[in-house]
Structure formats: C-alpha cells, structure tokens
Amino acid sequence: MTSLITQPGTGPSPGTDANAPGLAGLGRVLTIVEALRAADDLDLLDQLREPTDIDDLTGVDGRGAELVLTVLGHYGVVRCVDHRWQRSIEPELLRWWLKAQEPIHDLLRTGEPAGNVADPAQAASIYPDVVDLLGRMTEPHVAHLITQLRIPGPAVLELASGSAPWSRALGERDPHLRFTLVDLPGVAERSAAAMSATGLDARSTVVADDLFTVELEDRFDLVIVAGMCRLVGAEANARLFGRIGQWCRPGGTVAVFDALDTRQAREAGLAVYRLSLATRTRDGRPWTPAHYADWLAASGFADISITATSQPDMSLLQATRIKE
C-alpha cells in the first residue's frame, strides 16, 4: 500500500482565497516589477558585479538607487554588506525573467502558449541558452535537499539534467557515486561541460536523447527528475514514471523535485506560477501529490514522502521501488 506523507491537493480553487494579498498586495507587485524594469533599463545590475558604493554608480540618482536596491535586496536580487551593494543574480537572468512574462498578453487573448517546451524540438532550441541560469536558481535548494535523499547504492541517473545541479552536488559530496545524465541534444552538452568543470567527467556518462525514447540498459539506485513533470501532461507523466520504474532497481529511489499543487502552495500564490507556466506549455501544470501517488503506484513505487522547501510551491518527493 502506498502511503502519502503530505496533505493531498485537490486542485486550484476558483475565486478569491482568504489568504490572498488583495489590492494592497497587487500594488506591491507592480512596484517590484517596475523596480526590476528600471534596474534593467539603467544597467544597475551590470554595475554591481563587485561590491560597489552607491555614490560610484553612474546614470542613476543616489537616493533613487538606494530605494530601489533596498527593495531588490529584500527579494534576493542584490545584497548589501558594509553599505556596499553587489548583485546576487546575473543581469541575463533578470532579463530572461522579464521577457518570459511577455507572452501572457497572447495567452489571455488566445488561450494558447507562446511555445510548447513539452515538444522536444522546441525545448532543444530554448534550453541550451538558459539551463545554466536555471541551475543557479536550483542550487540553493539542492544544497539543502541532497542530505534528505535516499541513496541505496552508487548508480545515479539524472533525467532532464540541464546543468547537472544534483549530480554535481552529490558527486562533490560522495566520491563513490557514478552518474548517468540524460537530456536533449544541445542541453546534454551543457550537462557534460558542467560535470567536467567540477572534475566529475570521469565518473559520469552523458546521453543526448529524449526521455521518452532513450534506451538505457543499466539499472540505477537513485533516479532524479527535476523540473520536468510540470512541463508535460498527465498521460506523458504516466509514461515517464513507467520508464523510471524500469530503470530503477528494486529497493532503489526515485526523487522528484518540482512544483507541487498543495494547499500551502495555493495559499502562497501558486496561481501566479501557473500563469507563468501556461505561457510555455499547454498540458503541463503543477501536479498534486495525489497525481504523483497514482503514477508512482502504477509504476511499482511505494513509501512516498515529501520534503518542503523554503519556496512554498517547490518540494522534493521521494518513493522506493518495490522489491520484486
């Protein structure tokens, strides 16, 4: 019997949540967005590569810069040490975020996403340019969560590996682990480069292929799939977990890091993320723990547990492959 250690979600509720921020919260959001756009337009982050005094900034007013930087610092975009400011993210990431929201206009008008990252050809053309940035967003979570992973043996498979944040973190922590990484052509090259840069290339094999067609002969003790399930529909996820069940050894672990649709996530503003996600996939969405329980049970997994993160909609879900 599969046990689910979480509060099952029931899907997003229409209407206004009692915990929603309301109009005052909307005003705050608009202020934050305009602060980000102003920082981008005036190349503020470009000037903050190293710790910098506000008086040394060019093209901006000192008082205005202090007000904007204080807001951006609250959200982790910049940080202040000894009255000097330094960026915490690359300007390219900020620009990617801002540009990623532009298709909302067409989504509202047509109901269709601007693109479909569930399509391998489209994904292969988009992700090589952004996986390094996405990896840096994931790394703080990875650093915390790798200590929670159930790792019953040395063979690790990372699916949709991108810049390989999980394999890199695990490899630096445990010298006995061996890694296989799978991602689309173009993206897989980034995985290989990331493993090489951290001296882990001798302990890794990188496969450039689609997760739904790749043939893997080996079996693995730990299978990691991060940031993938929310991009595809329910039928595709059922097929994916069926494949993972074949790749995972009896007694092995599957670890899913992704956006979960839970009550806590909805109360924290999951609707905003759902809107953003809908600009790049039609069938994908944050799935409920109950969805994962069904897919995992059908694929031979049990003992499901969920570990929350500091980001309410992101969680680590793990399950054990039933011994045959």
Side-chain angles (χ1 to χ4, degrees):
M1 178 70 67
T2 297
S3 62
L4 193 64
I5 309 175
T6 188
Q7 172 66 43
T10 57
S13 301
T16 302
D17 191 290
N19 296 307
L23 291 177
L26 177 61
R28 290 172 61 87
V29 169
L30 293 173
T31 300
I32 294 161
V33 170
E34 287 309 309
L36 290 168
R37 293 194 185 280
D40 181 38
D41 290 343
L42 297 173
D43 298 325
L44 193 55
L45 294 191
D46 296 275
Q47 300 184 58
L48 297 177
R49 181 182 182 88
E50 303 294 337
T52 304
D53 291 321
I54 284 182
D55 291 341
D56 294 331
L57 296 172
T58 61
V60 297
D61 173 76
R63 178 174 178 272
E66 182 176 10
L67 290 168
V68 168
L69 288 171
T70 300
V71 170
L72 300 186
H74 181 71
Y75 291 94
V77 178
V78 297
R79 58 185 180 272
C80 183
V81 179
D82 295 331
H83 305 288
R84 307 182 79 199
W85 294 88
Q86 184 176 12
R87 70 193 188 204
S88 300
I89 65 171
E90 299 296 322
E92 290 79 7
L93 176 56
L94 172 59
R95 289 161 190 152
W96 179 75
W97 271 338
L98 293 171
K99 186 173 180 59
Q101 312 316 314
E102 293 176 0
I104 290 176
H105 181 281
D106 289 337
L107 175 68
L108 177 62
R109 183 173 57 84
T110 68
E112 295 294 329
N116 181 17
V117 293
D119 174 56
Q122 291 190 41
S125 68
I126 295 170
Y127 280 109
D129 294 330
V130 299
V131 290
D132 292 338
L133 296 174
L134 296 175
R136 287 199 288 275
M137 293 171 60
T138 303
E139 284 169 2
H141 295 299
V142 174
H144 167 68
L145 292 172
I146 58 171
T147 61
Q148 309 296 317
L149 288 174
R150 311 173 198 168
I151 310 176
V156 177
L157 171 64
E158 184 173 357
L159 301 172
S161 51
S163 63
W166 295 87
S167 294
R168 287 188 285 114
L170 288 169
E172 292 172 352
R173 184 182 180 89
D174 189 336
H176 301 100
L177 299 180
R178 299 291 182 270
F179 304 94
T180 298
L181 302 95
V182 181
D183 213 322
L184 295 167
V187 186
E189 295 174 7
R190 302 288 182 146
S191 302
M195 295 298 279
S196 179
T198 48
L200 295 170
D201 45 323
R203 295 162 53 192
S204 61
T205 300
V206 178
V207 180
D209 208 335
D210 185 339
L211 304 188
F212 294 94
T213 59
V214 64
E215 297 295 333
L216 300 174
E217 296 181 0
D218 294 334
R219 296 297 176 264
F220 302 90
D221 302 294
L222 172 63
V223 180
I224 301 169
V225 55
M228 177 66 194
C229 299
R230 63 179 180 257
L231 302 179
V232 298
E235 181 181 344
N237 273 307
R239 287 191 286 116
L240 176 60
F241 281 101
R243 308 200 86 205
I244 291 173
Q246 297 173 2
W247 295 328
C248 189
R249 289 195 180 108
T253 300
V254 59
V256 181
F257 179 71
D258 219 314
L260 288 190
D261 181 354
T262 64
R263 179 180 298 173
Q264 178 188 15
R266 292 195 299 276
E267 291 176 350
L270 182 66
V272 177
Y273 184 71
R274 283 174 55 87
L275 173 59
S276 175
L277 189 63
T279 65
R280 55 189 185 275
T281 172
R282 183 174 183 83
D283 298 326
R285 51 169 287 186
W287 299 99
T288 68
H291 283 110
Y292 283 101
D294 288 344
W295 298 327
L296 288 163
S299 304
F301 289 90
D303 299 325
I304 300 172
S305 65
I306 296 175
T307 303
T309 73
S310 58
Q311 187 175 337
D313 56 351
M314 297 300 294
S315 300
L316 175 68
L317 183 151
Q318 297 186 81
T320 301
R321 182 73 167 89
I322 300 172
K323 294 184 179 181
E324 298 171 342

